[in-house]
Every structure is written in structure tokens, then in C-alpha cells.
């Protein structure tokens, strides 16, 4: 069974939702049969690379809320994260373009290190003081920590076209599937779960999707020329 997760590094509910989904997956009896694939989604597509601002400022300008409302929202998110065992800085974080991070995640996927890099990017953005938006060398350090070669990471960052098509393809697919926000979970291209739902919701969704998988229907054409554990069938003249 395949679970595809569309998310963005700048999305706090993606950070929390990933932890909730993983908690459900840990307790799922068929977890070894589940393939998890992470897909790209930008909350702020087209944002300039050098357009970095404090999260509180972004929230007040983008959503028209007061500074007090924005701070209260961050406090609530901090509590939600803490309930999942996640660190979360409610003050002093910044916000910027995540396009380069998504490009790096596609590169990391090719190297078998996507999950490691994703977790490091989330933690760096939400729990650590140093920004992930204003210095490419910060992304290089995180890439190396995830098991990638430093020069390979620098090469991807230096080429704006590297993996850009892969990011845009994920985003187009999200739109086609009806995802208007993230996190967005798709189970076997049959069920969708939107938002950072409680772990119990993911548990039910996993069980339902797994239980409704259609077994392979064999078309019987009689005697078949094939190979198996006992060898290969040899036609008799």
C-alpha cells in the first residue's frame, strides 16, 4: 500500500501531522507493507528567494490578524507540537521560500535520504534558532547531516532548474487531486485525508484502505509456460 504525503517545510501543521501519521503507522499491523512517498507543495509559490520576514509579520500581513492573534496562534501550535513530542519555537522564527528545499528533497529521494532530510528541515525550521531561509550553507549542512555529499548539495542549489520540474509536477498533481492545503495524505490513490488529523483518524484510514485493496485477479488461460520454485515448464512434443 502506498501513502503519498503532500507537505511544505513552512507548514507547522505538516510538522505536527507527520508526527501524528507516524504514530498511527507505528501501531498499524501491516506497516511493513506501507510505502510512504513525500510530495512537494509550496504554501507561498513564487516567493522570491530573498524575501524573508518574521513569521508573526507574515501572519499579520497575509491573514489580516493582529499581532496578538498571531502570537496566540503560534502558542497553540507550540502546544500541539509539544503533545507530539516535538520542539517548537513560538517566537523568533522567520518565513521564506521553500522551493530550494523541495528541490533538495527530490535530490535526496534519489539518494535514498529523503526522509532523513525532511525531518532535519522540519526541526531546523520549527525548533532551531538559525534560519533555513537566508543562507544556502545552512541547507548544505542539513544535507550533509542527512547523509548527502556537500558538493552535490551545493550543485543542486546553484542550478535553479535542478529538480524544479519534479517540484512543479508534484504541485500540479496536488491540484488535480483537489488539495488546496497541506498536509494532504493520499492512500492508494483511493482515500484522501486532509490536515493534521488525530492519530486515530490515520489509524482508521490505514485500516480501511488496506482492507479494501483488491486482490489480483488471475485470468486463467489453461496451461501456462512459466518458471517457478520447481523450475521452468518445458513444452512436451
Amino acid at each position: 500500500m502506498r501513502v503519498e504525503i503532500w507537505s511544505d517545510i513552512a507548514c507547522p501543521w505538516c510538522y505536527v501531522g507527520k508526527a501524528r501519521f507516524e504514530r498511527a503507522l507505528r501501531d498499524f499491523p501491516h506497516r511493513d507493507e506501507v510505502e510512504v512517498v513525500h510530495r512537494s507543495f509550496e504554501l507561498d509559490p513564487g516567493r522570491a528567494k530573498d524575501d524573508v520576514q518574521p513569521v508573526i509579520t507574515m501572519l499579520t500581513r497575509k491573514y489580516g490578524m493582529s499581532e496578538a492573534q498571531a502570537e496566540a496562534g503560534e502558542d497553540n501550535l507550540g502546544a500541539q507540537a509539544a503533545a507530539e513530542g516535538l520542539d517548537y519555537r513560538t517566537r523568533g522564527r522567520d518565513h521564506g521560500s521553500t522551493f530550494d528545499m523541495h528541490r533538495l528533497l527530490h535530490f535526496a529521494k534519489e539518494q535514498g535520504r529523503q526522509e532523513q532530510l525532511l525531518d532535519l528541515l522540519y526541526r531546523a525550521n520549527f525548533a532551531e534558532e538559525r534560519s533555513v531561509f537566508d543562507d544556502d550553507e545552512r541547507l548544505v549542512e542539513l544535507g550533509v547531516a542527512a547523509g548527502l555529499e556537500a558538493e552535490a548539495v551545493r550543485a543542486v542549489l546553484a542550478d535553479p532548474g535542478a529538480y524544479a520540474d519534479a517540484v512543479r509536477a508534484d504541485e500540479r498533481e496536488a491540484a488535480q487531486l483537489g488539495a488546496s492545503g497541506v498536509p494532504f495524505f493520499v492512500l492508494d490513490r483511493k482515500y484522501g485525508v486532509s490536515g493534521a488529523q488525530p492519530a486515530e483518524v490515520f489509524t482508521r484510514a490505514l485500516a480501511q484502505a488496506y482492507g479494501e485493496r483488491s486482490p489480483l485477479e488471475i485470468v486463467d488461460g489453461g496451461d501456462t509456460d512459466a518458471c517457478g520454485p520447481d523450475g521452468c515448464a518445458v513444452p512436451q512434443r
Side-chain angles (χ1 to χ4, degrees), residues 41-124:
F41 189 104
E42 293 173 276
L43 290 174
D44 208 348
R47 189 184 188 97
K49 185 179 177 70
D50 61 355
D51 184 3
V52 180
Q53 62 183 169
V55 166
I56 298 299
T57 301
M58 179 275 293
L59 291 172
T60 58
R61 291 178 180 175
K62 186 172 183 177
Y63 300 107
M65 57 179 63
S66 68
E67 185 171 319
Q69 289 173 320
E71 290 178 346
E74 283 293 284
D75 290 340
N76 175 56
L77 281 162
Q80 298 278 349
E84 300 302 327
L86 300 172
D87 292 330
Y88 190 100
R89 295 179 65 234
T90 60
R91 300 292 185 275
R93 292 191 304 107
D94 57 11
H95 176 80
S97 171
T98 56
F99 186 57
D100 282 351
M101 296 180 217
H102 285 294
R103 295 195 300 111
L104 281 179
L105 285 166
H106 277 279
F107 168 65
K109 182 180 179 182
E110 288 186 348
Q111 309 301 312
R113 311 302 294 176
Q114 186 186 55
E115 189 81 29
Q116 292 87 342
L117 180 58
L118 182 60
D119 285 339
L120 286 166
L121 287 170
Y122 273 140
R123 177 169 180 78

Side-chain angles (χ1 to χ4, degrees), residues 17-35:
K18 184 176 188 292
R20 291 175 177 174
F21 170 77
E22 289 174 346
R23 179 150 56 91
L25 186 61
R26 279 196 301 270
D27 296 332
F28 185 55
H30 307 287
R31 60 185 177 275
D32 292 340
E33 300 175 54
V34 178
E35 175 193 12

Side-chain angles (χ1 to χ4, degrees), residues 157-172:
L157 291 172
D159 178 4
Y163 301 95
D165 288 345
V167 175
R168 298 306 184 211
D170 277 356
E171 293 173 338
R172 285 194 300 272

